[in-house]
Amino acid sequence: MRFDELPCFFLGANAPKGYYSRFDQLFAAAPNGRCYLLKGGPGTGKSTVLKKTAAVLADKNMSTELIYCSADTDSLDAIIADDGKFVMADATLPHAVEPKYPGVYETTVSLCDCWNEEKLKENAEKAMCLFDENRRLHEHARRYMAAAADLLEEAAKLGANCVYPEKAAGAAAKICAREFGRKIRRTGTEKQRFLSAVTDKGVFFFGKTAELLCDKIYLIEDESGAASRIFMSTVRKMAVDWGLDIIVCKCPVFPAEKTEHIFIPQLKLGFVTGNKRHNLDIMPYRTIHAKRFFDEKKYLRHKIKIKFALRCAANLIEEAVKCMKEAKEVHDELEALYIPAMDFSAVNKKLEEIIKDI
């Protein structure tokens, strides 16, 4: 299996109420498992170690997921193999992780002893200012997203007044009954991921992951988000009740409440939400337009308000993206301070030890 054939997700997102992390989803602690927690600063080689380890796992045909950083979509935050039996993660802020079973499951790998501290201290004042500026820009992005979330919620509430909930739930149930086959005598499991995030490159969506996981994708087109919430909630409940193991991808704007996408790997089946905020470069098996679940007369009364709220929310998300882009530039400056102080041969030795252990 090639590195570029591995499914990609986020496990953290810049959300309205702060950075929202689901790094708890990484681990499946077991006596025969292994978890490496990488500690270090910007530019110390954490993402490179993760990429090289992932390439080794791919060569060994181990089932592997790549978890990318929503603040820098070119950098890895973690890799998960064999459903969490083997994990490697960047365990620094904003997703700091400490061992629960030190030594017997987790091994902390510090890259901090691979840098020249005296050389770093030569730029201490500049580095501290850059760290503070990076945090400030991320906070600004969250404020824009919080304002956007209020408007998106308003659009969803207006839309909910126009939806026939039994129609949306019934359509979902009909598809599920046709696609799921015979019930299994167990309760299905659920993994949570993000397939999209607000990043320095805009609203970034791992469309390739959807196509890697699925032979058949149902796309639910829904601008207001009212009907898709009912549809996805029905799919989620039925799949678990049917005994199917699912991957639930949450909305980065409403990470605790709203399900945007659901994948059922054992059936190679997916359900994906689409709207103007998502640039979905996928070929669906079937597109379901949410308007079929709406009372058209009621919708026409609210249409202008819904469109206004969605347009304003999109503008606010664009401003959040600008802040994220500035934050990424500041982070690049920080990396430029750390890289000359690093002994990357020492980093490579640590990587060799990990690969031998694998």
Side-chain angles (χ1 to χ4, degrees):
M1 187 180 293
R2 297 201 315 266
F3 183 85
D4 61 359
E5 293 175 334
L6 300 176
C8 305
F9 297 99
F10 300 109
L11 266 179
N14 214 17
K17 294 181 181 178
Y19 185 81
Y20 191 91
S21 173
R22 288 313 311 262
F23 262 54
D24 61 299
Q25 294 283 304
L26 280 173
F27 313 108
N32 61 342
R34 207 80 189 112
C35 172
Y36 294 92
L37 302 177
L38 304 180
K39 300 283 187 177
T44 54
K46 299 188 299 294
S47 183
T48 301
V49 169
L50 283 159
K51 285 177 181 176
K52 288 183 176 179
T53 305
V56 171
L57 297 175
D59 286 343
K60 292 181 177 295
N61 287 320
M62 289 177 73
S63 173
T64 305
E65 296 174 51
L66 305 179
I67 305 299
Y68 275 87
C69 173
S70 59
D72 179 1
T73 52
D74 293 323
S75 291
L76 279 179
D77 267 352
I79 52 176
I80 311 170
D82 282 357
D83 285 328
K85 285 182 182 175
F86 180 93
V87 173
M88 181 182 283
D90 177 349
T92 55
L93 288 172
H95 35 68
V97 180
E98 295 301 325
K100 282 178 69 179
Y101 310 103
V104 295
Y105 175 60
E106 300 102 342
T107 298
T108 300
V109 180
S110 176
L111 304 183
C112 305
D113 53 8
C114 300
W115 63 40
N116 183 329
E117 203 157 292
E118 291 304 314
K119 196 163 187 176
L120 280 178
K121 286 179 179 177
E122 291 172 9
N123 296 298
E125 186 176 351
K126 184 178 180 182
M128 291 170 78
C129 288
L130 289 170
F131 275 116
D132 290 341
E133 177 68 1
N134 183 269
R135 281 189 283 268
R136 186 186 68 81
L137 287 164
H138 279 286
E139 183 55 39
H140 278 316
R142 290 180 196 121
R143 287 176 189 164
Y144 284 123
M145 288 183 66
D150 287 341
L151 288 162
L152 291 170
E153 188 60 33
E154 178 65 15
K157 284 179 180 176
L158 289 168
N161 290 329
C162 314
V163 170
Y164 294 112
E166 67 282 358
K167 279 191 176 182
K174 189 175 179 181
I175 292 170
C176 290
R178 184 172 65 243
E179 295 287 355
F180 290 175
R182 185 176 295 180
K183 274 191 175 184
I184 304 167
R185 290 184 179 177
R186 62 187 284 268
T187 300
T189 62
E190 177 184 319
K191 294 193 292 191
Q192 290 197 11
R193 303 283 187 267
F194 291 103
L195 199 66
S196 60
V198 177
T199 76
D200 63 304
K201 295 177 182 175
V203 180
F204 192 94
F205 179 82
F206 284 120
K208 193 179 90 172
T209 294
E211 294 186 325
L212 281 170
L213 293 175
C214 305
D215 291 334
K216 188 183 284 188
I217 297 172
Y218 285 87
L219 172 63
I220 299 88
E221 284 281 5
D222 184 11
E223 287 302 317
S224 74
S228 60
R229 291 186 188 207
I230 299 165
F231 191 100
M232 288 294 181
S233 177
T234 304
V235 172
R236 181 184 180 187
K237 184 178 187 309
M238 283 190 68
V240 172
D241 289 347
W242 228 264
L244 299 169
D245 298 331
I246 63 174
I247 301 171
V248 171
C249 296
K250 292 291 190 174
C251 170
V253 180
F254 303 105
E257 304 96 23
K258 186 181 176 186
T259 297
E260 277 196 323
H261 319 293
I262 296 172
F263 300 109
I264 309 172
Q266 68 203 83
L267 299 181
K268 301 286 279 182
L269 178 67
F271 297 85
V272 175
T273 304
N275 52 55
K276 288 177 183 174
R277 298 176 299 282
H278 284 170
N279 182 20
L280 302 181
D281 186 20
I282 59 173
M283 287 293 293
Y285 165 73
R286 181 181 164 195
T287 300
I288 300 163
H289 297 282
K291 284 184 181 178
R292 62 185 270 199
F293 310 127
F294 279 60
D295 180 317
E296 200 166 332
K297 287 183 181 178
K298 282 186 179 179
Y299 179 74
L300 286 172
R301 289 203 298 269
H302 296 300
K303 184 178 178 181
I304 292 173
K305 287 182 180 178
I306 290 172
K307 287 198 168 185
F308 177 76
L310 293 175
R311 186 167 63 251
C312 291
N315 290 336
L316 286 162
I317 288 172
E318 280 182 21
E319 292 302 315
V321 168
K322 288 176 187 176
C323 290
M324 296 287 285
K325 189 172 183 180
E326 286 185 59
K328 170 66 168 59
E329 289 167 0
V330 170
H331 189 269
D332 289 346
E333 287 187 62
L334 275 166
E335 287 192 340
L337 295 180
Y338 274 78
I339 288 169
M342 289 298 298
D343 177 2
F344 286 107
S345 63
V347 174
N348 285 332
K349 282 182 181 176
K350 289 178 183 279
L351 174 60
E352 287 169 13
E353 288 172 11
I354 291 168
I355 289 171
K356 279 180 187 176
D357 198 26
I358 296 170

